[in-house]
Amino acid sequence: MQKLAPAEFPIHDLIRERWSPRAFADKPVPPDVLRSLFEAARWAPSSNNEQPWAYLVATKDDKENFAKTLGVLVEFNVNWAKNAPVLALAVAKLTFSKNNAPNRNAPYDLGAASAFLTVEAASRGIFVHQMAGFDPQKARQAFEIPADWDTFAALALGYPGDPESLPQALKDREVAPRTRKPLSEFVMTGQWGHTAPFLSK
Ligand SMILES: Cc1cc2nc3c(=O)[nH]c(=O)nc-3n(C[C@H](O)[C@H](O)[C@H](O)COP(=O)(O)O)c2cc1C
């Protein structure tokens, strides 16, 4: 299923095409494709080139780690993410390696890496559904994540599936139109709340 973004202004097709499905096809993602997705994440920019990201990845054939990752998610997300062929946890290092000073941009950089990954995925017909609905403490314990790292998102990814495979409430959300705030609400110039003039010129 396609859910093209109804963009107000022209954007790249890959960005229009990317969306977050909950229905996934029963089709594995080959290892070479997975390598390319994380290679794309690798080339994201980061503060001081710290690259403060790590991903704990479980493919469905790795039953133990797949179950371990599902065990970290809230029930709502387990209901649909269990059908994805790949799950991952996105983890950021909260201190700079060179001096242990706090790196307040680490979650920002992790988000950039994940965004690169989602766009690379879209170019290959693979879709990523990121999740905040998980327990970071459970993740820390289950995967022995060090104290200076923290998990900021879980990811389910794979080829899109049939919305009919979902329970009714999720099916409705799957086929609902994609919506966004207008640019005028978040692109400002000069002073907070003042819409950037180029939006209307
Ligand atoms: C950091 C983050 C956390 C999210 N958490 C969840 C979640 O726990 N469960 C869920 O079903 N969707 C989750 N989403 C998906 C968003 O609801 C979705 O990205 C948003 O509605 C926009 O839809 P689109 O990605 O299809 O454009 C999350 C997305 C992001 C980026």
Side-chain angles (χ1 to χ4, degrees):
M1 193 177 81
Q2 265 209 333
K3 275 184 84 166
L4 287 182
E8 279 182 63
F9 300 101
I11 54 174
H12 198 285
D13 279 348
L14 286 177
I15 297 172
R16 287 180 69 213
E17 287 164 12
R18 185 218 61 84
W19 68 289
S20 304
R22 293 190 179 87
F24 289 97
D26 185 16
K27 180 177 165 188
V29 179
D32 63 318
V33 175
L34 282 178
R35 288 196 284 273
S36 289
L37 301 192
F38 291 99
E39 181 71 23
R42 179 178 176 223
W43 288 100
S46 62
S47 174
N48 217 34
N49 202 16
E50 171 71 21
Q51 305 156 64
W53 44 70
Y55 294 89
L56 282 153
V57 187
T59 53
K60 195 171 245 162
D61 58 333
D62 175 0
K63 290 193 172 56
E64 184 186 341
N65 285 316
F66 196 85
K68 209 158 113 175
T69 313
L70 270 185
V72 163
L73 305 183
V74 299
E75 198 184 340
F76 171 80
N77 287 330
V78 172
N79 287 335
W80 57 266
K82 65 183 181 206
N83 297 318
V86 184
L87 297 175
L89 297 176
V91 190
K93 186 168 192 282
L94 305 176
T95 53
F96 283 107
S97 298
K98 61 175 181 189
N99 58 8
N100 290 326
N103 179 3
R104 69 181 291 273
N105 285 108
Y108 185 87
D109 295 343
L110 173 67
S114 295
F116 273 39
L117 185 155
T118 63
V119 174
E120 181 68 34
S123 78
R124 295 162 184 276
I126 292 168
F127 292 83
V128 183
H129 199 133
Q130 301 175 72
M131 293 166 267
F134 69 94
D135 183 333
Q137 283 315 317
K138 270 194 194 168
R140 185 178 298 290
Q141 279 165 9
F143 292 94
E144 300 177 51
I145 294 168
D148 53 344
W149 291 74
D150 208 358
T151 310
F152 286 90
L155 281 60
L157 63 95
Y159 300 93
D162 184 355
E164 293 297 326
S165 67
L166 294 168
Q168 189 61 48
L170 292 184
K171 198 191 326 176
D172 292 346
R173 289 170 73 165
E174 195 81 344
V175 298
R178 298 179 59 210
T179 59
R180 288 298 192 269
K181 295 175 188 172
L183 265 67
S184 55
E185 274 190 36
F186 68 92
V187 186
M188 306 172 197
T189 295
Q191 192 184 337
W192 188 261
H194 287 209
T195 299
F198 65 81
L199 292 181
S200 52
K201 274 183 198 155

PDB file of all heavy atoms in Angstrom, residues 3 18-22 74 76-77 80 128-134 152-154 170 173 178-180, ligand 1:
ATOM      1  N   LYS A   3       1.143   5.410   0.618  1.00  0.00           N
ATOM      2  CA  LYS A   3       0.477   6.527   1.310  1.00  0.00           C
ATOM      3  C   LYS A   3       1.279   7.792   1.066  1.00  0.00           C
ATOM      4  O   LYS A   3       1.959   8.285   1.956  1.00  0.00           O
ATOM      5  CB  LYS A   3       0.384   6.230   2.815  1.00  0.00           C
ATOM      6  CG  LYS A   3      -0.825   5.391   3.179  1.00  0.00           C
ATOM      7  CD  LYS A   3      -0.946   5.197   4.664  1.00  0.00           C
ATOM      8  CE  LYS A   3      -1.639   6.332   5.346  1.00  0.00           C
ATOM      9  NZ  LYS A   3      -2.057   6.010   6.727  1.00  0.00           N
ATOM     10  N   ARG A  18       7.787   7.651   2.052  1.00  0.00           N
ATOM     11  CA  ARG A  18       8.029   7.063   3.380  1.00  0.00           C
ATOM     12  C   ARG A  18       6.816   7.224   4.277  1.00  0.00           C
ATOM     13  O   ARG A  18       6.210   8.273   4.344  1.00  0.00           O
ATOM     14  CB  ARG A  18       9.229   7.753   4.034  1.00  0.00           C
ATOM     15  CG  ARG A  18       9.625   7.131   5.370  1.00  0.00           C
ATOM     16  CD  ARG A  18      10.054   8.170   6.379  1.00  0.00           C
ATOM     17  NE  ARG A  18       8.984   9.113   6.675  1.00  0.00           N
ATOM     18  CZ  ARG A  18       8.007   8.897   7.565  1.00  0.00           C
ATOM     19  NH1 ARG A  18       7.956   7.789   8.263  1.00  0.00           N
ATOM     20  NH2 ARG A  18       7.051   9.802   7.756  1.00  0.00           N
ATOM     21  N   TRP A  19       6.412   6.174   4.926  1.00  0.00           N
ATOM     22  CA  TRP A  19       5.381   6.288   5.959  1.00  0.00           C
ATOM     23  C   TRP A  19       5.579   5.148   6.940  1.00  0.00           C
ATOM     24  O   TRP A  19       6.490   4.322   6.773  1.00  0.00           O
ATOM     25  CB  TRP A  19       3.963   6.299   5.357  1.00  0.00           C
ATOM     26  CG  TRP A  19       3.511   5.025   4.720  1.00  0.00           C
ATOM     27  CD1 TRP A  19       3.964   4.503   3.549  1.00  0.00           C
ATOM     28  CD2 TRP A  19       2.517   4.129   5.220  1.00  0.00           C
ATOM     29  NE1 TRP A  19       3.307   3.328   3.277  1.00  0.00           N
ATOM     30  CE2 TRP A  19       2.417   3.061   4.288  1.00  0.00           C
ATOM     31  CE3 TRP A  19       1.687   4.112   6.344  1.00  0.00           C
ATOM     32  CZ2 TRP A  19       1.534   1.995   4.457  1.00  0.00           C
ATOM     33  CZ3 TRP A  19       0.805   3.053   6.500  1.00  0.00           C
ATOM     34  CH2 TRP A  19       0.734   2.014   5.576  1.00  0.00           C
ATOM     35  N   SER A  20       4.765   5.101   7.987  1.00  0.00           N
ATOM     36  CA  SER A  20       4.974   4.153   9.089  1.00  0.00           C
ATOM     37  C   SER A  20       3.837   3.132   9.119  1.00  0.00           C
ATOM     38  O   SER A  20       2.819   3.350   9.776  1.00  0.00           O
ATOM     39  CB  SER A  20       5.016   4.915  10.421  1.00  0.00           C
ATOM     40  OG  SER A  20       6.001   5.923  10.391  1.00  0.00           O
ATOM     41  N   PRO A  21       4.005   2.012   8.415  1.00  0.00           N
ATOM     42  CA  PRO A  21       2.932   1.017   8.416  1.00  0.00           C
ATOM     43  C   PRO A  21       2.922   0.176   9.691  1.00  0.00           C
ATOM     44  O   PRO A  21       3.927   0.096  10.398  1.00  0.00           O
ATOM     45  CB  PRO A  21       3.282   0.133   7.214  1.00  0.00           C
ATOM     46  CG  PRO A  21       4.755   0.253   7.058  1.00  0.00           C
ATOM     47  CD  PRO A  21       5.156   1.593   7.612  1.00  0.00           C
ATOM     48  N   ARG A  22       1.771  -0.450   9.938  1.00  0.00           N
ATOM     49  CA  ARG A  22       1.695  -1.461  11.011  1.00  0.00           C
ATOM     50  C   ARG A  22       1.465  -2.853  10.427  1.00  0.00           C
ATOM     51  O   ARG A  22       1.602  -3.833  11.136  1.00  0.00           O
ATOM     52  CB  ARG A  22       0.592  -1.098  12.016  1.00  0.00           C
ATOM     53  CG  ARG A  22       0.901   0.157  12.795  1.00  0.00           C
ATOM     54  CD  ARG A  22      -0.054   0.379  13.958  1.00  0.00           C
ATOM     55  NE  ARG A  22       0.292   1.594  14.695  1.00  0.00           N
ATOM     56  CZ  ARG A  22      -0.140   2.806  14.396  1.00  0.00           C
ATOM     57  NH1 ARG A  22      -0.966   2.981  13.369  1.00  0.00           N
ATOM     58  NH2 ARG A  22       0.235   3.861  15.105  1.00  0.00           N
ATOM     59  N   VAL A  74       5.675  -1.949  24.570  1.00  0.00           N
ATOM     60  CA  VAL A  74       4.361  -1.931  25.221  1.00  0.00           C
ATOM     61  C   VAL A  74       3.413  -2.822  24.398  1.00  0.00           C
ATOM     62  O   VAL A  74       3.629  -3.058  23.202  1.00  0.00           O
ATOM     63  CB  VAL A  74       3.774  -0.498  25.338  1.00  0.00           C
ATOM     64  CG1 VAL A  74       4.687   0.405  26.173  1.00  0.00           C
ATOM     65  CG2 VAL A  74       3.507   0.117  23.972  1.00  0.00           C
ATOM     66  N   PHE A  76       0.479  -2.491  23.125  1.00  0.00           N
ATOM     67  CA  PHE A  76      -0.119  -1.955  21.886  1.00  0.00           C
ATOM     68  C   PHE A  76       0.805  -2.196  20.692  1.00  0.00           C
ATOM     69  O   PHE A  76       0.359  -2.574  19.604  1.00  0.00           O
ATOM     70  CB  PHE A  76      -0.407  -0.453  22.047  1.00  0.00           C
ATOM     71  CG  PHE A  76      -0.819   0.207  20.764  1.00  0.00           C
ATOM     72  CD1 PHE A  76      -2.128   0.096  20.301  1.00  0.00           C
ATOM     73  CD2 PHE A  76       0.094   0.915  19.995  1.00  0.00           C
ATOM     74  CE1 PHE A  76      -2.506   0.683  19.096  1.00  0.00           C
ATOM     75  CE2 PHE A  76      -0.272   1.505  18.789  1.00  0.00           C
ATOM     76  CZ  PHE A  76      -1.587   1.392  18.348  1.00  0.00           C
ATOM     77  N   ASN A  77       2.097  -1.947  20.906  1.00  0.00           N
ATOM     78  CA  ASN A  77       3.042  -2.106  19.801  1.00  0.00           C
ATOM     79  C   ASN A  77       3.349  -3.575  19.504  1.00  0.00           C
ATOM     80  O   ASN A  77       3.559  -3.937  18.346  1.00  0.00           O
ATOM     81  CB  ASN A  77       4.321  -1.330  20.086  1.00  0.00           C
ATOM     82  CG  ASN A  77       4.120   0.181  19.940  1.00  0.00           C
ATOM     83  OD1 ASN A  77       3.293   0.617  19.154  1.00  0.00           O
ATOM     84  ND2 ASN A  77       4.853   0.958  20.721  1.00  0.00           N
ATOM     85  N   TRP A  80       1.145  -5.435  16.731  1.00  0.00           N
ATOM     86  CA  TRP A  80       1.415  -5.367  15.292  1.00  0.00           C
ATOM     87  C   TRP A  80       2.897  -5.583  14.960  1.00  0.00           C
ATOM     88  O   TRP A  80       3.216  -6.187  13.942  1.00  0.00           O
ATOM     89  CB  TRP A  80       0.904  -4.040  14.707  1.00  0.00           C
ATOM     90  CG  TRP A  80       1.475  -2.814  15.369  1.00  0.00           C
ATOM     91  CD1 TRP A  80       0.922  -2.111  16.402  1.00  0.00           C
ATOM     92  CD2 TRP A  80       2.714  -2.167  15.058  1.00  0.00           C
ATOM     93  NE1 TRP A  80       1.754  -1.070  16.763  1.00  0.00           N
ATOM     94  CE2 TRP A  80       2.851  -1.075  15.947  1.00  0.00           C
ATOM     95  CE3 TRP A  80       3.720  -2.389  14.122  1.00  0.00           C
ATOM     96  CZ2 TRP A  80       3.958  -0.220  15.926  1.00  0.00           C
ATOM     97  CZ3 TRP A  80       4.820  -1.536  14.096  1.00  0.00           C
ATOM     98  CH2 TRP A  80       4.919  -0.474  14.987  1.00  0.00           C
ATOM     99  N   VAL A 128       9.742   1.700   7.698  1.00  0.00           N
ATOM    100  CA  VAL A 128      10.189   1.643   9.089  1.00  0.00           C
ATOM    101  C   VAL A 128       9.117   2.275   9.957  1.00  0.00           C
ATOM    102  O   VAL A 128       8.645   3.374   9.635  1.00  0.00           O
ATOM    103  CB  VAL A 128      11.514   2.435   9.260  1.00  0.00           C
ATOM    104  CG1 VAL A 128      12.020   2.324  10.694  1.00  0.00           C
ATOM    105  CG2 VAL A 128      12.567   1.970   8.260  1.00  0.00           C
ATOM    106  N   HIS A 129       8.728   1.592  11.017  1.00  0.00           N
ATOM    107  CA  HIS A 129       7.798   2.192  11.976  1.00  0.00           C
ATOM    108  C   HIS A 129       8.539   2.336  13.305  1.00  0.00           C
ATOM    109  O   HIS A 129       8.857   1.355  13.958  1.00  0.00           O
ATOM    110  CB  HIS A 129       6.551   1.323  12.133  1.00  0.00           C
ATOM    111  CG  HIS A 129       5.410   2.080  12.728  1.00  0.00           C
ATOM    112  ND1 HIS A 129       4.129   2.048  12.207  1.00  0.00           N
ATOM    113  CD2 HIS A 129       5.349   2.927  13.793  1.00  0.00           C
ATOM    114  CE1 HIS A 129       3.348   2.836  12.932  1.00  0.00           C
ATOM    115  NE2 HIS A 129       4.067   3.361  13.904  1.00  0.00           N
ATOM    116  N   GLN A 130       8.827   3.592  13.645  1.00  0.00           N
ATOM    117  CA  GLN A 130       9.542   3.870  14.892  1.00  0.00           C
ATOM    118  C   GLN A 130       8.554   3.909  16.043  1.00  0.00           C
ATOM    119  O   GLN A 130       7.376   4.226  15.858  1.00  0.00           O
ATOM    120  CB  GLN A 130      10.296   5.195  14.762  1.00  0.00           C
ATOM    121  CG  GLN A 130      11.288   5.166  13.608  1.00  0.00           C
ATOM    122  CD  GLN A 130      11.957   6.497  13.365  1.00  0.00           C
ATOM    123  OE1 GLN A 130      12.796   6.922  14.137  1.00  0.00           O
ATOM    124  NE2 GLN A 130      11.572   7.156  12.293  1.00  0.00           N
ATOM    125  N   MET A 131       9.044   3.590  17.235  1.00  0.00           N
ATOM    126  CA  MET A 131       8.165   3.517  18.411  1.00  0.00           C
ATOM    127  C   MET A 131       8.816   4.146  19.632  1.00  0.00           C
ATOM    128  O   MET A 131       9.977   3.842  19.936  1.00  0.00           O
ATOM    129  CB  MET A 131       7.863   2.045  18.753  1.00  0.00           C
ATOM    130  CG  MET A 131       7.041   1.320  17.735  1.00  0.00           C
ATOM    131  SD  MET A 131       7.127  -0.461  18.057  1.00  0.00           S
ATOM    132  CE  MET A 131       8.471  -0.943  17.000  1.00  0.00           C
ATOM    133  N   ALA A 132       8.020   4.960  20.336  1.00  0.00           N
ATOM    134  CA  ALA A 132       8.412   5.416  21.673  1.00  0.00           C
ATOM    135  C   ALA A 132       7.783   4.508  22.731  1.00  0.00           C
ATOM    136  O   ALA A 132       8.157   4.575  23.905  1.00  0.00           O
ATOM    137  CB  ALA A 132       7.970   6.862  21.879  1.00  0.00           C
ATOM    138  N   GLY A 133       6.849   3.686  22.302  1.00  0.00           N
ATOM    139  CA  GLY A 133       6.133   2.814  23.237  1.00  0.00           C
ATOM    140  C   GLY A 133       6.936   1.567  23.579  1.00  0.00           C
ATOM    141  O   GLY A 133       6.712   0.480  23.011  1.00  0.00           O
ATOM    142  N   PHE A 134       7.895   1.744  24.456  1.00  0.00           N
ATOM    143  CA  PHE A 134       8.708   0.623  24.955  1.00  0.00           C
ATOM    144  C   PHE A 134       9.250   1.048  26.313  1.00  0.00           C
ATOM    145  O   PHE A 134       9.149   2.212  26.703  1.00  0.00           O
ATOM    146  CB  PHE A 134       9.849   0.288  23.983  1.00  0.00           C
ATOM    147  CG  PHE A 134      10.897   1.364  23.925  1.00  0.00           C
ATOM    148  CD1 PHE A 134      12.026   1.294  24.721  1.00  0.00           C
ATOM    149  CD2 PHE A 134      10.735   2.473  23.113  1.00  0.00           C
ATOM    150  CE1 PHE A 134      12.977   2.317  24.702  1.00  0.00           C
ATOM    151  CE2 PHE A 134      11.680   3.490  23.093  1.00  0.00           C
ATOM    152  CZ  PHE A 134      12.796   3.411  23.880  1.00  0.00           C
ATOM    153  N   PHE A 152      16.267   5.307  22.787  1.00  0.00           N
ATOM    154  CA  PHE A 152      15.311   6.376  22.502  1.00  0.00           C
ATOM    155  C   PHE A 152      14.164   5.937  21.614  1.00  0.00           C
ATOM    156  O   PHE A 152      13.124   6.600  21.574  1.00  0.00           O
ATOM    157  CB  PHE A 152      16.034   7.586  21.890  1.00  0.00           C
ATOM    158  CG  PHE A 152      16.820   8.339  22.922  1.00  0.00           C
ATOM    159  CD1 PHE A 152      18.142   8.022  23.182  1.00  0.00           C
ATOM    160  CD2 PHE A 152      16.213   9.318  23.689  1.00  0.00           C
ATOM    161  CE1 PHE A 152      18.856   8.683  24.166  1.00  0.00           C
ATOM    162  CE2 PHE A 152      16.913   9.992  24.676  1.00  0.00           C
ATOM    163  CZ  PHE A 152      18.234   9.669  24.917  1.00  0.00           C
ATOM    164  N   ALA A 153      14.336   4.851  20.888  1.00  0.00           N
ATOM    165  CA  ALA A 153      13.236   4.378  20.036  1.00  0.00           C
ATOM    166  C   ALA A 153      13.411   2.898  19.734  1.00  0.00           C
ATOM    167  O   ALA A 153      14.524   2.361  19.788  1.00  0.00           O
ATOM    168  CB  ALA A 153      13.195   5.166  18.723  1.00  0.00           C
ATOM    169  N   ALA A 154      12.284   2.275  19.457  1.00  0.00           N
ATOM    170  CA  ALA A 154      12.306   0.931  18.872  1.00  0.00           C
ATOM    171  C   ALA A 154      11.867   1.089  17.420  1.00  0.00           C
ATOM    172  O   ALA A 154      11.133   2.026  17.081  1.00  0.00           O
ATOM    173  CB  ALA A 154      11.367   0.008  19.638  1.00  0.00           C
ATOM    174  N   LEU A 170      -6.715  -0.822  14.160  1.00  0.00           N
ATOM    175  CA  LEU A 170      -5.426  -0.528  13.520  1.00  0.00           C
ATOM    176  C   LEU A 170      -5.592  -0.383  12.014  1.00  0.00           C
ATOM    177  O   LEU A 170      -4.902   0.420  11.379  1.00  0.00           O
ATOM    178  CB  LEU A 170      -4.417  -1.636  13.827  1.00  0.00           C
ATOM    179  CG  LEU A 170      -3.945  -1.742  15.279  1.00  0.00           C
ATOM    180  CD1 LEU A 170      -2.887  -2.815  15.416  1.00  0.00           C
ATOM    181  CD2 LEU A 170      -3.402  -0.407  15.781  1.00  0.00           C
ATOM    182  N   ARG A 173      -6.570   3.093  11.190  1.00  0.00           N
ATOM    183  CA  ARG A 173      -5.434   4.021  11.251  1.00  0.00           C
ATOM    184  C   ARG A 173      -4.499   3.813  10.064  1.00  0.00           C
ATOM    185  O   ARG A 173      -3.879   4.768   9.575  1.00  0.00           O
ATOM    186  CB  ARG A 173      -4.678   3.839  12.571  1.00  0.00           C
ATOM    187  CG  ARG A 173      -5.494   4.375  13.748  1.00  0.00           C
ATOM    188  CD  ARG A 173      -4.914   4.000  15.077  1.00  0.00           C
ATOM    189  NE  ARG A 173      -3.702   4.739  15.405  1.00  0.00           N
ATOM    190  CZ  ARG A 173      -3.187   4.781  16.624  1.00  0.00           C
ATOM    191  NH1 ARG A 173      -3.779   4.147  17.624  1.00  0.00           N
ATOM    192  NH2 ARG A 173      -2.102   5.459  16.874  1.00  0.00           N
ATOM    193  N   ARG A 178      -2.641  10.814   5.747  1.00  0.00           N
ATOM    194  CA  ARG A 178      -1.514  11.340   6.525  1.00  0.00           C
ATOM    195  C   ARG A 178      -1.678  12.848   6.692  1.00  0.00           C
ATOM    196  O   ARG A 178      -2.048  13.537   5.747  1.00  0.00           O
ATOM    197  CB  ARG A 178      -0.208  11.002   5.818  1.00  0.00           C
ATOM    198  CG  ARG A 178      -0.021   9.491   5.727  1.00  0.00           C
ATOM    199  CD  ARG A 178       1.261   9.140   5.011  1.00  0.00           C
ATOM    200  NE  ARG A 178       2.399   9.708   5.676  1.00  0.00           N
ATOM    201  CZ  ARG A 178       3.519  10.076   5.052  1.00  0.00           C
ATOM    202  NH1 ARG A 178       3.628   9.928   3.759  1.00  0.00           N
ATOM    203  NH2 ARG A 178       4.521  10.585   5.741  1.00  0.00           N
ATOM    204  N   THR A 179      -1.445  13.343   7.876  1.00  0.00           N
ATOM    205  CA  THR A 179      -1.667  14.776   8.134  1.00  0.00           C
ATOM    206  C   THR A 179      -0.407  15.386   8.756  1.00  0.00           C
ATOM    207  O   THR A 179       0.372  14.696   9.410  1.00  0.00           O
ATOM    208  CB  THR A 179      -2.831  14.998   9.115  1.00  0.00           C
ATOM    209  OG1 THR A 179      -2.530  14.331  10.341  1.00  0.00           O
ATOM    210  CG2 THR A 179      -4.143  14.457   8.556  1.00  0.00           C
ATOM    211  N   ARG A 180      -0.249  16.672   8.533  1.00  0.00           N
ATOM    212  CA  ARG A 180       0.859  17.430   9.138  1.00  0.00           C
ATOM    213  C   ARG A 180       0.389  18.843   9.457  1.00  0.00           C
ATOM    214  O   ARG A 180      -0.534  19.361   8.815  1.00  0.00           O
ATOM    215  CB  ARG A 180       2.040  17.522   8.167  1.00  0.00           C
ATOM    216  CG  ARG A 180       2.818  16.211   7.973  1.00  0.00           C
ATOM    217  CD  ARG A 180       3.446  15.728   9.258  1.00  0.00           C
ATOM    218  NE  ARG A 180       4.399  14.655   9.042  1.00  0.00           N
ATOM    219  CZ  ARG A 180       4.095  13.358   9.064  1.00  0.00           C
ATOM    220  NH1 ARG A 180       2.854  12.970   9.271  1.00  0.00           N
ATOM    221  NH2 ARG A 180       5.030  12.453   8.887  1.00  0.00           N
TER     222      ARG A 180
HETATM  223  C1  LIG B   1      10.044   8.677  17.877  1.00  0.00           C
HETATM  224  C2  LIG B   1       8.740   8.094  17.385  1.00  0.00           C
HETATM  225  C3  LIG B   1       7.943   7.351  18.242  1.00  0.00           C
HETATM  226  C4  LIG B   1       6.771   6.738  17.791  1.00  0.00           C
HETATM  227  N1  LIG B   1       6.081   5.906  18.635  1.00  0.00           N
HETATM  228  C5  LIG B   1       5.106   5.120  18.123  1.00  0.00           C
HETATM  229  C6  LIG B   1       4.557   4.064  18.905  1.00  0.00           C
HETATM  230  O1  LIG B   1       4.984   3.781  20.042  1.00  0.00           O
HETATM  231  N2  LIG B   1       3.558   3.326  18.349  1.00  0.00           N
HETATM  232  C7  LIG B   1       3.073   3.552  17.101  1.00  0.00           C
HETATM  233  O2  LIG B   1       2.185   2.813  16.663  1.00  0.00           O
HETATM  234  N3  LIG B   1       3.587   4.553  16.320  1.00  0.00           N
HETATM  235  C8  LIG B   1       4.605   5.317  16.794  1.00  0.00           C
HETATM  236  N4  LIG B   1       5.197   6.287  16.000  1.00  0.00           N
HETATM  237  C9  LIG B   1       4.724   6.522  14.626  1.00  0.00           C
HETATM  238  C10 LIG B   1       4.077   7.902  14.487  1.00  0.00           C
HETATM  239  O3  LIG B   1       2.800   7.874  15.063  1.00  0.00           O
HETATM  240  C11 LIG B   1       4.065   8.291  13.009  1.00  0.00           C
HETATM  241  O4  LIG B   1       5.379   8.476  12.566  1.00  0.00           O
HETATM  242  C12 LIG B   1       3.265   9.573  12.782  1.00  0.00           C
HETATM  243  O5  LIG B   1       1.900   9.378  13.056  1.00  0.00           O
HETATM  244  C13 LIG B   1       3.395  10.084  11.353  1.00  0.00           C
HETATM  245  O6  LIG B   1       3.000   9.085  10.451  1.00  0.00           O
HETATM  246  P1  LIG B   1       3.951   8.666   9.216  1.00  0.00           P
HETATM  247  O7  LIG B   1       5.289   8.218   9.834  1.00  0.00           O
HETATM  248  O8  LIG B   1       3.243   7.519   8.564  1.00  0.00           O
HETATM  249  O9  LIG B   1       4.131   9.846   8.348  1.00  0.00           O
HETATM  250  C14 LIG B   1       6.353   6.920  16.455  1.00  0.00           C
HETATM  251  C15 LIG B   1       7.143   7.692  15.581  1.00  0.00           C
HETATM  252  C16 LIG B   1       8.331   8.256  16.037  1.00  0.00           C
HETATM  253  C17 LIG B   1       9.200   9.031  15.068  1.00  0.00           C
END
